[in-house]
Amino acid sequence: MGLDAEHRGVVMGRLTVTAVPVLNDNYVWLITDPDSGETAAVDPSPTEPVLEAVAAQGLRLTQVLNTHWHPDHTGGNRGIKAAIGCTIIAPAEAERVSKVDRVVSEGDRVTVAGAEAVVWDIPAHTAGHIAFYFENEGMIFVGDTMFAMGCGRLFEGTAEQMYSNMQRIADLPGDVRIYCGHEYTLANARFAAHVEPENEEVTRRLKQAFAEREAGQITLPTTVAEERATNPFVRAKNSQDFAELRTAKDSFR
Ligand code: ZN
Ligand code: FE
């Protein structure tokens, strides 16, 4: 869909991250060491487009990282493992969908091509949802917990939990890049502009997201600083305020 290489591949730290757009609006993130080609796929589903992207770029996929059990994030596990064999690292809840080689939770460390990530437990979208924070690379993979200018639905948790997840992510350094599981930015920006019509940063970002989507571009990753300035769920005053916003968003058109 006409995505230029520059926009899809963002280099920071030592590793490169590229998007494989799949299903309606999911992104599978490929974390690659450009020197060795060693790659981890975050939330691969389905199998084929991920294997095709890996082959087309000549990468060596050795690991799968899952943020939560939902099939649009784990549905490729089985097929990828069967095709090329790889280590699946995931929260225990992902075992509903496929075998997991290493179950991880809060404080566990995961290494991708020599770069270390720490696992965070961030329940609410699902009860076992996790994030992978690569501190030295300045990036975090948050699945369906935070989106650009938005947040995930509360399927298996509370507004209090999700609000504290927002605060935890927003407390990271401002230049940390946030890799989300879906392309929801434009719809989220419209809601943000409805909630904060006077916020010029929101207005600017709504225009930008519109232009990027018109051009067939990916709007991610976002950054912690951008979310602090424009994400109404991050900017909520407290968990009660957050809960009201989350309910309003559920029915916003
Ligand atoms: Zn999900
Ligand atoms: Fe999802």
Side-chain angles (χ1 to χ4, degrees):
M1 58 180 193
L3 299 155
D4 59 290
E6 196 186 334
H7 202 89
R8 292 179 59 168
V10 177
V11 181
M12 74 268 179
R14 201 167 50 73
L15 304 181
T16 304
V17 180
T18 53
V20 185
V22 296
L23 304 173
N24 281 338
D25 46 32
N26 281 72
Y27 292 130
V28 179
W29 298 109
L30 299 180
I31 308 171
T32 299
D33 177 350
D35 297 326
S36 68
E38 188 177 338
T39 296
V42 180
D43 286 352
S45 180
T47 302
E48 277 316 313
V50 178
L51 291 179
E52 280 165 22
V54 164
Q57 297 174 55
L59 307 177
R60 194 162 48 85
L61 181 60
T62 59
Q63 285 173 301
V64 161
L65 312 181
N66 297 135
T67 62
H68 65 294
W69 73 268
H70 284 163
D72 62 315
H73 298 256
T74 52
N77 286 9
R78 222 179 257 275
I80 290 168
K81 182 127 180 141
I84 57 176
C86 59
T87 304
I88 297 173
I89 300 173
E93 64 174 22
E95 289 185 306
R96 288 179 222 180
V97 177
S98 76
K99 182 181 171 297
V100 173
D101 297 301
R102 184 177 165 215
V103 168
V104 291
S105 61
E106 180 71 36
D108 286 336
R109 311 237 159 208
V110 171
T111 303
V112 175
E116 193 174 72
V118 63
V119 175
W120 289 9
D121 286 342
I122 47 170
H125 179 70
T126 64
H129 199 303
I130 61 171
F132 297 91
Y133 174 42
F134 292 78
E135 184 177 2
N136 293 336
E137 298 286 320
M139 62 186 186
I140 186 167
F141 295 82
V142 299
D144 288 357
T145 291
M146 184 183 286
F147 297 112
M149 308 182 81
C151 79
R153 286 179 184 260
L154 308 178
F155 289 122
E156 300 176 1
T158 65
E160 286 73 21
Q161 287 173 319
M162 191 57 109
Y163 183 63
S164 90
N165 295 336
M166 297 295 108
Q167 297 304 301
R168 188 174 182 190
I169 295 166
D171 278 346
L172 289 170
D175 60 356
V176 169
R177 288 163 169 85
I178 304 171
Y179 291 87
C180 319
H182 292 264
E183 178 62 65
Y184 289 160
T185 313
L186 185 52
N188 288 340
R190 289 190 170 120
F191 178 73
H194 168 74
V195 173
E196 287 195 68
E198 309 292 316
N199 185 328
E200 287 172 17
E201 279 302 298
V202 167
T203 308
R204 181 196 58 74
R205 213 172 166 196
L206 171 58
K207 285 186 192 144
Q208 182 187 324
F210 184 81
E212 285 175 342
R213 294 312 291 154
E214 282 286 292
Q217 292 173 346
I218 295 175
T219 63
L220 300 173
T222 180
T223 65
V224 168
E226 284 180 286
E227 295 315 303
R228 284 186 205 138
T230 65
N231 188 325
F233 299 96
V234 168
R235 297 163 65 75
K237 287 183 279 300
N238 50 50
S239 63
Q240 178 59 36
D241 189 24
F242 172 94
E244 284 165 18
L245 279 171
R246 186 57 266 180
T247 302
K249 175 69 167 63
D250 286 343
S251 58
F252 181 75
R253 291 285 176 277

Short mmCIF file of all heavy atoms in Angstrom, two decimals, residues 160-201:
data_model
loop_
_atom_site.label_atom_id
_atom_site.label_comp_id
_atom_site.label_asym_id
_atom_site.label_seq_id
_atom_site.Cartn_x
_atom_site.Cartn_y
_atom_site.Cartn_z
N GLU A 160 -8.98 1.59 36.66
CA GLU A 160 -7.87 1.92 37.55
C GLU A 160 -6.57 1.31 37.02
O GLU A 160 -5.52 1.96 37.00
CB GLU A 160 -8.14 1.41 38.97
CG GLU A 160 -9.17 2.20 39.75
CD GLU A 160 -10.61 1.97 39.26
OE1 GLU A 160 -10.89 0.93 38.61
OE2 GLU A 160 -11.45 2.85 39.51
N GLN A 161 -6.65 0.03 36.62
CA GLN A 161 -5.45 -0.62 36.09
C GLN A 161 -4.96 0.08 34.82
O GLN A 161 -3.77 0.34 34.65
CB GLN A 161 -5.75 -2.09 35.76
CG GLN A 161 -5.91 -2.97 36.98
CD GLN A 161 -6.38 -4.37 36.60
OE1 GLN A 161 -7.24 -4.54 35.74
NE2 GLN A 161 -5.80 -5.36 37.25
N MET A 162 -5.89 0.36 33.92
CA MET A 162 -5.48 0.96 32.65
C MET A 162 -4.93 2.36 32.85
O MET A 162 -3.96 2.75 32.21
CB MET A 162 -6.65 0.97 31.65
CG MET A 162 -6.24 1.33 30.23
SD MET A 162 -4.95 0.24 29.52
CE MET A 162 -5.88 -0.67 28.30
N TYR A 163 -5.55 3.10 33.76
CA TYR A 163 -5.04 4.45 34.04
C TYR A 163 -3.62 4.38 34.59
O TYR A 163 -2.75 5.16 34.20
CB TYR A 163 -5.97 5.18 35.02
CG TYR A 163 -5.53 6.60 35.28
CD1 TYR A 163 -5.51 7.53 34.24
CD2 TYR A 163 -5.13 7.00 36.55
CE1 TYR A 163 -5.10 8.83 34.46
CE2 TYR A 163 -4.72 8.30 36.78
CZ TYR A 163 -4.70 9.21 35.74
OH TYR A 163 -4.29 10.49 35.98
N SER A 164 -3.36 3.41 35.45
CA SER A 164 -1.99 3.32 35.99
C SER A 164 -1.01 2.85 34.90
O SER A 164 0.15 3.27 34.89
CB SER A 164 -1.95 2.48 37.26
OG SER A 164 -1.72 1.13 36.97
N ASN A 165 -1.48 2.05 33.94
CA ASN A 165 -0.62 1.71 32.78
C ASN A 165 -0.27 2.97 31.98
O ASN A 165 0.87 3.14 31.54
CB ASN A 165 -1.33 0.73 31.84
CG ASN A 165 -1.58 -0.63 32.48
OD1 ASN A 165 -0.89 -1.01 33.43
ND2 ASN A 165 -2.58 -1.35 31.96
N MET A 166 -1.27 3.83 31.76
CA MET A 166 -1.03 5.08 31.02
C MET A 166 0.04 5.91 31.72
O MET A 166 0.96 6.43 31.09
CB MET A 166 -2.32 5.92 30.92
CG MET A 166 -3.49 5.31 30.16
SD MET A 166 -3.18 5.04 28.41
CE MET A 166 -3.04 3.25 28.43
N GLN A 167 -0.11 6.02 33.05
CA GLN A 167 0.83 6.83 33.82
C GLN A 167 2.24 6.23 33.78
O GLN A 167 3.23 6.94 33.67
CB GLN A 167 0.36 6.94 35.28
CG GLN A 167 -0.99 7.63 35.42
CD GLN A 167 -0.98 9.01 34.78
OE1 GLN A 167 -0.19 9.86 35.15
NE2 GLN A 167 -1.83 9.24 33.79
N ARG A 168 2.30 4.91 33.84
CA ARG A 168 3.61 4.26 33.86
C ARG A 168 4.35 4.49 32.54
O ARG A 168 5.55 4.79 32.52
CB ARG A 168 3.42 2.75 34.11
CG ARG A 168 4.73 2.03 34.35
CD ARG A 168 4.50 0.59 34.74
NE ARG A 168 5.79 -0.05 35.02
CZ ARG A 168 5.94 -1.35 35.20
NH1 ARG A 168 4.89 -2.16 35.19
NH2 ARG A 168 7.13 -1.85 35.43
N ILE A 169 3.63 4.35 31.44
CA ILE A 169 4.26 4.56 30.13
C ILE A 169 4.63 6.04 29.97
O ILE A 169 5.72 6.38 29.50
CB ILE A 169 3.32 4.09 29.00
CG1 ILE A 169 3.12 2.57 29.09
CG2 ILE A 169 3.89 4.48 27.63
CD1 ILE A 169 1.96 2.03 28.25
N ALA A 170 3.73 6.92 30.40
CA ALA A 170 3.96 8.36 30.24
C ALA A 170 5.11 8.86 31.11
O ALA A 170 5.65 9.94 30.86
CB ALA A 170 2.69 9.13 30.55
N ASP A 171 5.49 8.09 32.13
CA ASP A 171 6.62 8.47 32.99
C ASP A 171 7.98 8.13 32.38
O ASP A 171 9.01 8.51 32.94
CB ASP A 171 6.50 7.78 34.35
CG ASP A 171 5.55 8.51 35.29
OD1 ASP A 171 5.21 9.68 34.98
OD2 ASP A 171 5.14 7.92 36.31
N LEU A 172 8.00 7.44 31.26
CA LEU A 172 9.27 7.14 30.59
C LEU A 172 9.84 8.44 30.00
O LEU A 172 9.11 9.42 29.83
CB LEU A 172 9.04 6.12 29.47
CG LEU A 172 8.72 4.69 29.93
CD1 LEU A 172 8.28 3.85 28.73
CD2 LEU A 172 9.93 4.06 30.60
N PRO A 173 11.14 8.44 29.65
CA PRO A 173 11.70 9.64 29.01
C PRO A 173 10.90 10.02 27.74
O PRO A 173 10.40 9.15 27.04
CB PRO A 173 13.12 9.21 28.65
CG PRO A 173 13.44 8.12 29.62
CD PRO A 173 12.15 7.40 29.88
N GLY A 174 10.79 11.33 27.49
CA GLY A 174 9.94 11.81 26.41
C GLY A 174 10.28 11.30 25.03
O GLY A 174 9.41 11.17 24.17
N ASP A 175 11.54 10.97 24.79
CA ASP A 175 11.92 10.54 23.44
C ASP A 175 11.78 9.03 23.23
O ASP A 175 12.10 8.52 22.15
CB ASP A 175 13.34 11.00 23.10
CG ASP A 175 14.39 10.44 24.05
OD1 ASP A 175 14.01 9.74 25.04
OD2 ASP A 175 15.58 10.69 23.83
N VAL A 176 11.29 8.30 24.23
CA VAL A 176 11.08 6.85 24.03
C VAL A 176 9.98 6.63 23.00
O VAL A 176 8.92 7.25 23.06
CB VAL A 176 10.70 6.16 25.37
CG1 VAL A 176 10.22 4.73 25.13
CG2 VAL A 176 11.89 6.17 26.32
N ARG A 177 10.26 5.77 22.03
CA ARG A 177 9.30 5.46 20.98
C ARG A 177 8.36 4.37 21.43
O ARG A 177 8.79 3.38 22.03
CB ARG A 177 10.03 5.05 19.70
CG ARG A 177 10.70 6.21 19.02
CD ARG A 177 11.72 5.72 18.04
NE ARG A 177 12.20 6.79 17.20
CZ ARG A 177 13.19 7.62 17.54
NH1 ARG A 177 13.79 7.48 18.72
NH2 ARG A 177 13.58 8.57 16.73
N ILE A 178 7.09 4.55 21.12
CA ILE A 178 6.05 3.62 21.53
C ILE A 178 5.51 2.92 20.29
O ILE A 178 4.98 3.56 19.38
CB ILE A 178 4.90 4.37 22.26
CG1 ILE A 178 5.44 5.17 23.45
CG2 ILE A 178 3.83 3.38 22.72
CD1 ILE A 178 4.40 6.10 24.07
N TYR A 179 5.64 1.60 20.27
CA TYR A 179 5.14 0.78 19.16
C TYR A 179 3.85 0.11 19.61
O TYR A 179 3.85 -0.71 20.53
CB TYR A 179 6.19 -0.25 18.75
CG TYR A 179 7.39 0.38 18.08
CD1 TYR A 179 8.47 0.84 18.83
CD2 TYR A 179 7.43 0.55 16.70
CE1 TYR A 179 9.56 1.45 18.23
CE2 TYR A 179 8.52 1.15 16.08
CZ TYR A 179 9.58 1.60 16.84
OH TYR A 179 10.65 2.20 16.24
N CYS A 180 2.75 0.47 18.94
CA CYS A 180 1.41 0.00 19.31
C CYS A 180 0.97 -1.09 18.34
O CYS A 180 1.49 -1.20 17.23
CB CYS A 180 0.42 1.16 19.23
SG CYS A 180 1.06 2.74 19.86
N GLY A 181 -0.06 -1.82 18.74
CA GLY A 181 -0.51 -2.97 17.96
C GLY A 181 -1.42 -2.66 16.79
O GLY A 181 -1.62 -3.53 15.92
N HIS A 182 -1.96 -1.46 16.73
CA HIS A 182 -2.93 -1.15 15.67
C HIS A 182 -2.75 0.27 15.12
O HIS A 182 -2.28 1.16 15.84
CB HIS A 182 -4.38 -1.26 16.19
CG HIS A 182 -4.81 -2.64 16.53
ND1 HIS A 182 -5.52 -3.43 15.64
CD2 HIS A 182 -4.64 -3.37 17.65
CE1 HIS A 182 -5.77 -4.60 16.22
NE2 HIS A 182 -5.25 -4.60 17.44
N GLU A 183 -3.20 0.45 13.89
CA GLU A 183 -3.27 1.78 13.27
C GLU A 183 -4.62 2.40 13.60
O GLU A 183 -5.59 2.24 12.86
CB GLU A 183 -3.10 1.64 11.75
CG GLU A 183 -3.19 2.95 10.97
CD GLU A 183 -2.10 3.94 11.35
OE1 GLU A 183 -0.93 3.64 11.10
OE2 GLU A 183 -2.43 5.01 11.89
N TYR A 184 -4.69 3.04 14.77
CA TYR A 184 -5.94 3.66 15.20
C TYR A 184 -5.80 5.18 15.33
O TYR A 184 -6.70 5.84 15.88
CB TYR A 184 -6.35 3.12 16.59
CG TYR A 184 -6.84 1.70 16.64
CD1 TYR A 184 -6.84 1.01 17.86
CD2 TYR A 184 -7.35 1.05 15.52
CE1 TYR A 184 -7.31 -0.29 17.94
CE2 TYR A 184 -7.82 -0.25 15.61
CZ TYR A 184 -7.79 -0.92 16.82
OH TYR A 184 -8.27 -2.21 16.92
N THR A 185 -4.68 5.73 14.90
CA THR A 185 -4.36 7.12 15.24
C THR A 185 -5.41 8.12 14.79
O THR A 185 -5.80 9.01 15.56
CB THR A 185 -2.98 7.51 14.66
OG1 THR A 185 -2.05 6.46 14.95
CG2 THR A 185 -2.49 8.83 15.23
N LEU A 186 -5.90 7.98 13.56
CA LEU A 186 -6.82 8.99 13.03
C LEU A 186 -8.13 9.01 13.82
O LEU A 186 -8.61 10.08 14.22
CB LEU A 186 -7.07 8.73 11.54
CG LEU A 186 -7.93 9.77 10.82
CD1 LEU A 186 -7.41 11.19 11.04
CD2 LEU A 186 -8.00 9.45 9.33
N ALA A 187 -8.71 7.84 14.07
CA ALA A 187 -9.95 7.78 14.85
C ALA A 187 -9.71 8.31 16.27
O ALA A 187 -10.54 9.04 16.83
CB ALA A 187 -10.48 6.35 14.89
N ASN A 188 -8.56 7.96 16.84
CA ASN A 188 -8.25 8.46 18.18
C ASN A 188 -8.07 9.98 18.18
O ASN A 188 -8.47 10.66 19.13
CB ASN A 188 -6.97 7.81 18.71
CG ASN A 188 -7.17 6.35 19.08
OD1 ASN A 188 -8.29 5.91 19.31
ND2 ASN A 188 -6.08 5.60 19.11
N ALA A 189 -7.45 10.50 17.13
CA ALA A 189 -7.21 11.95 17.04
C ALA A 189 -8.54 12.69 16.96
O ALA A 189 -8.69 13.78 17.54
CB ALA A 189 -6.34 12.26 15.83
N ARG A 190 -9.52 12.12 16.26
CA ARG A 190 -10.83 12.77 16.16
C ARG A 190 -11.50 12.84 17.54
O ARG A 190 -12.09 13.85 17.90
CB ARG A 190 -11.71 12.00 15.18
CG ARG A 190 -11.25 12.20 13.74
CD ARG A 190 -12.27 11.65 12.74
NE ARG A 190 -11.91 12.05 11.40
CZ ARG A 190 -11.62 11.21 10.40
NH1 ARG A 190 -11.69 9.91 10.57
NH2 ARG A 190 -11.29 11.68 9.21
N PHE A 191 -11.37 11.75 18.29
CA PHE A 191 -11.93 11.76 19.65
C PHE A 191 -11.18 12.77 20.54
O PHE A 191 -11.81 13.53 21.29
CB PHE A 191 -11.86 10.36 20.26
CG PHE A 191 -12.38 10.30 21.67
CD1 PHE A 191 -13.73 10.40 21.94
CD2 PHE A 191 -11.50 10.14 22.74
CE1 PHE A 191 -14.20 10.36 23.26
CE2 PHE A 191 -11.96 10.09 24.05
CZ PHE A 191 -13.32 10.20 24.30
N ALA A 192 -9.87 12.79 20.42
CA ALA A 192 -9.06 13.72 21.23
C ALA A 192 -9.44 15.17 20.93
O ALA A 192 -9.53 16.00 21.84
CB ALA A 192 -7.57 13.50 20.97
N ALA A 193 -9.69 15.46 19.65
CA ALA A 193 -10.07 16.82 19.25
C ALA A 193 -11.46 17.18 19.78
O ALA A 193 -11.75 18.34 20.08
CB ALA A 193 -10.02 16.97 17.74
N HIS A 194 -12.32 16.17 19.90
CA HIS A 194 -13.64 16.37 20.49
C HIS A 194 -13.53 16.67 21.99
O HIS A 194 -14.23 17.54 22.51
CB HIS A 194 -14.46 15.10 20.23
CG HIS A 194 -15.75 15.02 20.98
ND1 HIS A 194 -16.85 15.77 20.65
CD2 HIS A 194 -16.11 14.28 22.06
CE1 HIS A 194 -17.84 15.48 21.49
NE2 HIS A 194 -17.41 14.58 22.36
N VAL A 195 -12.62 15.96 22.66
CA VAL A 195 -12.45 16.13 24.11
C VAL A 195 -11.69 17.42 24.45
O VAL A 195 -12.01 18.09 25.42
CB VAL A 195 -11.68 14.92 24.70
CG1 VAL A 195 -11.34 15.14 26.16
CG2 VAL A 195 -12.49 13.64 24.54
N GLU A 196 -10.66 17.71 23.64
CA GLU A 196 -9.83 18.89 23.91
C GLU A 196 -9.77 19.79 22.69
O GLU A 196 -8.72 19.91 22.05
CB GLU A 196 -8.40 18.45 24.28
CG GLU A 196 -8.26 17.83 25.65
CD GLU A 196 -6.79 17.76 26.08
OE1 GLU A 196 -6.19 18.82 26.32
OE2 GLU A 196 -6.25 16.65 26.17
N PRO A 197 -10.87 20.46 22.36
CA PRO A 197 -10.91 21.28 21.13
C PRO A 197 -9.91 22.44 21.15
O PRO A 197 -9.54 22.94 20.10
CB PRO A 197 -12.36 21.79 21.08
CG PRO A 197 -12.90 21.60 22.46
CD PRO A 197 -12.16 20.46 23.06
N GLU A 198 -9.49 22.86 22.35
CA GLU A 198 -8.57 24.00 22.45
C GLU A 198 -7.09 23.58 22.39
O GLU A 198 -6.22 24.43 22.37
CB GLU A 198 -8.79 24.76 23.77
CG GLU A 198 -10.22 25.15 24.07
CD GLU A 198 -10.72 26.20 23.09
OE1 GLU A 198 -9.97 27.16 22.82
OE2 GLU A 198 -11.86 26.05 22.60
N ASN A 199 -6.83 22.29 22.40
CA ASN A 199 -5.44 21.80 22.45
C ASN A 199 -4.83 21.85 21.05
O ASN A 199 -5.16 21.05 20.18
CB ASN A 199 -5.42 20.38 23.02
CG ASN A 199 -4.02 19.83 23.22
OD1 ASN A 199 -3.10 20.18 22.47
ND2 ASN A 199 -3.85 18.97 24.21
N GLU A 200 -3.92 22.81 20.84
CA GLU A 200 -3.35 23.02 19.50
C GLU A 200 -2.51 21.85 19.04
O GLU A 200 -2.43 21.56 17.84
CB GLU A 200 -2.52 24.31 19.48
CG GLU A 200 -3.39 25.56 19.52
CD GLU A 200 -2.59 26.84 19.68
OE1 GLU A 200 -1.36 26.81 19.45
OE2 GLU A 200 -3.21 27.85 20.05
N GLU A 201 -1.86 21.18 19.98
CA GLU A 201 -1.06 20.01 19.62
C GLU A 201 -1.97 18.88 19.09
O GLU A 201 -1.62 18.16 18.16
CB GLU A 201 -0.26 19.50 20.82
CG GLU A 201 1.01 20.27 21.07
CD GLU A 201 1.93 20.25 19.85
OE1 GLU A 201 2.37 19.16 19.46
OE2 GLU A 201 2.18 21.33 19.27
#
